[in-house]
Amino acid sequence: MSWTSGPTPDPVALFLLYLDAQRGYSPATVAAYGSDLEGVHVFLQRRGKGLHDPAAVSKNDVTAFLADLHRRSLAKSSVCRKLSALRAFYRFLRQRKLVAEDPCASLSNPKLPKLHPKVLNVDQAVHLVESDVTPDPEGLRDLALLEVLYGSGLRVSEALGLDFGDVDLDQRLLRVLGKGRKERVVPLTGPAVERLRRYIEQRGAFGPALREQAVFLGKRGGRLTRKQADRIVKAMAALSGVPSTISPHTLRHSFATHMLQAGADLRSVQELLGHSRISTTQRYTHLDLAQIMRVYDAAHPLAGKSGESEES
C-alpha cells in the first residue's frame, strides 16, 4: 500500500520518513512499522475511517481493532507490537500538533509471559564453533561467521553489516553499527581473528564486485543475507550435534549468558551487546537450579557438611 497518494503527504508516510531519516531505524524496522500500521488502516476502513485521518480515530476504534486481533488468536507479542507501532505513530503526531488526542493513551498492553532466551550450554557452543567443516572458502566463511556471532555477541544484522573498514584484526576489534545506527566497538576473540584472517584470504573465491566492501559474502558475491546466515547456523548445528532449531540470535543469547555466568558484570555485558536499557540485559541473569546449588555448596560455610550430633 502506498502512503503517499494525494497532494498532501499522508501522516503515515511522514511518520515512516521520520523513523528512517531522523531516528535512523533500519529499512527492515521501518517496513515492519509500515506493515503494522497498514493492518490498522485496513481494519479502520471497514469502519469508514483510516489512518489518513488520524484525528477521527477513537479509543473505541482501537479497542475494536485489538478485539479483532484477539478473535483471530494472534499471539500476545504480535498484539503488543502492533499497539506499540500505533502508540509511536500518535506520539509522533501529537509532538507535531497534528492531532490533539491519542486514542491509545489509556489502553494497556496484553500481559506477556516472562520468557528467558533459549541458549546453548558452553559445551554445545564450543562444539558448534569448532565444527569439522571442509577448509574451502564457504567452510571458512561459515566458521568465521559463527565466531563473530558467538565470540562477540553480535546481532545477525550487525555481523552481516560489517564492512572491511569495520574490522581491525591487529587490534582485535570490530566497529559495529547497532540498532538506531548507534556505533560501538567490541572485541574479537583470538580464534575469531584467526578464522576471519583465513576466510578473508579466500574471500575472492566468491567473486565479489570490485566495490563490494561486505565482509561476509554469499555465493554470488553479494552481501550475505539473513536467510542465508540462518541456513548456515542450522547446517552447522546439524553437523556438530547441536539442536538444529537454533538461530543466529541463539548465539548472541548464549554469549550474554555465558559471560554473566563466568562473572562478567552486567554493565559491561550491556555495553558489549549494545543494549540501551540495563533491563534488557538482565534477562540473561537467570541461573538454573544446578548452578545455584553449586554456588551455594562452594560458598556457604555449612553447605556440604554432614550433620553433627547436637550432644557434643
Side-chain angles (χ1 to χ4, degrees):
M1 176 182 295
S2 172
W3 296 108
T4 56
S5 60
T8 304
D10 190 285
V12 175
L14 291 176
F15 173 61
L16 298 180
L17 180 62
Y18 158 76
L19 295 181
D20 174 48
Q22 296 188 39
R23 294 300 301 273
Y25 285 7
S26 70
T29 300
V30 174
Y33 272 92
S35 177
D36 285 336
L37 292 176
E38 180 180 340
V40 180
H41 181 71
V42 169
F43 174 82
L44 291 173
Q45 284 184 313
R46 301 204 298 265
R47 297 170 68 90
K49 299 180 180 181
L51 292 183
H52 58 277
D53 184 12
V57 178
S58 68
K59 177 184 174 181
N60 285 340
D61 293 321
V62 178
T63 302
F65 172 68
L66 297 177
D68 182 64
L69 297 180
H70 178 71
R71 282 193 297 271
R72 290 158 48 195
S73 300
L74 208 67
K76 289 183 179 180
S77 58
S78 297
V79 175
C80 286
R81 192 194 67 235
K82 293 178 185 298
L83 184 55
S84 176
L86 197 59
R87 286 188 203 281
F89 173 59
Y90 273 95
R91 185 164 57 247
F92 165 82
L93 296 176
R94 291 199 66 196
Q95 287 171 349
R96 284 150 186 79
K97 302 189 185 305
L98 297 176
V99 296
E101 301 294 333
D102 178 359
C104 310
S106 60
L107 296 175
S108 300
N109 284 349
K111 190 171 183 179
L112 296 174
K114 292 184 178 180
L115 300 176
H116 293 307
K118 293 181 179 179
V119 298
L120 302 176
N121 61 42
V122 173
D123 287 340
Q124 289 175 321
V126 171
H127 284 315
L128 185 64
V129 298
E130 293 182 354
S131 298
D132 186 18
V133 299
T134 54
D136 58 16
E138 285 191 19
L140 295 174
R141 176 203 62 194
D142 297 350
L143 287 175
L145 177 62
L146 292 183
E147 286 283 0
V148 168
L149 291 171
Y150 174 63
S152 298
L154 300 194
R155 300 177 178 95
V156 65
S157 59
E158 295 170 345
L160 302 184
L162 290 172
D163 290 335
F164 274 115
D166 302 322
V167 181
D168 188 336
L169 295 182
D170 293 332
Q171 297 295 318
R172 291 176 49 186
L173 295 173
L174 294 176
R175 186 173 69 245
V176 178
L177 198 61
K179 285 188 175 180
R181 297 182 186 173
K182 292 180 180 177
E183 190 176 283
R184 70 185 190 279
V185 176
V186 299
L188 283 166
T189 65
V193 170
E194 180 59 28
R195 293 272 169 80
L196 278 168
R197 200 183 302 277
R198 292 182 62 196
Y199 159 63
I200 289 171
E201 289 174 355
Q202 301 295 320
R203 177 180 173 275
F206 291 93
L210 185 62
R211 295 184 180 180
E212 180 57 73
Q213 292 298 305
V215 172
F216 293 109
L217 301 177
K219 288 183 178 180
R220 298 182 180 179
R223 192 180 297 273
L224 197 69
T225 68
R226 294 176 69 106
K227 286 186 178 180
Q228 290 170 327
D230 187 65
R231 285 197 295 267
I232 288 170
V233 170
K234 284 179 168 52
M236 298 288 274
L239 186 65
S240 60
V242 172
S244 59
T245 54
I246 70 168
S247 69
H249 217 58
T250 306
L251 302 183
R252 174 173 162 88
H253 292 327
S254 302
F255 162 85
T257 301
H258 298 166
M259 288 284 290
L260 290 167
Q261 288 178 346
D265 67 275
L266 202 58
R267 289 289 179 187
S268 296
V269 176
Q270 178 190 6
E271 290 296 322
L272 289 170
L273 293 173
H275 287 158
S276 58
R277 293 179 295 182
I278 194 71
S279 59
T280 306
T281 315
Q282 286 173 326
R283 293 182 304 161
Y284 299 101
T285 59
H286 64 283
L287 300 174
D288 58 32
L289 181 58
Q291 182 176 0
I292 292 173
M293 292 303 297
R294 286 196 298 271
V295 172
Y296 174 80
D297 287 340
H300 197 285
L302 298 182
K305 292 187 177 182
S306 59
E308 297 179 358
S309 171
E310 295 181 0
E311 297 178 359
S312 59

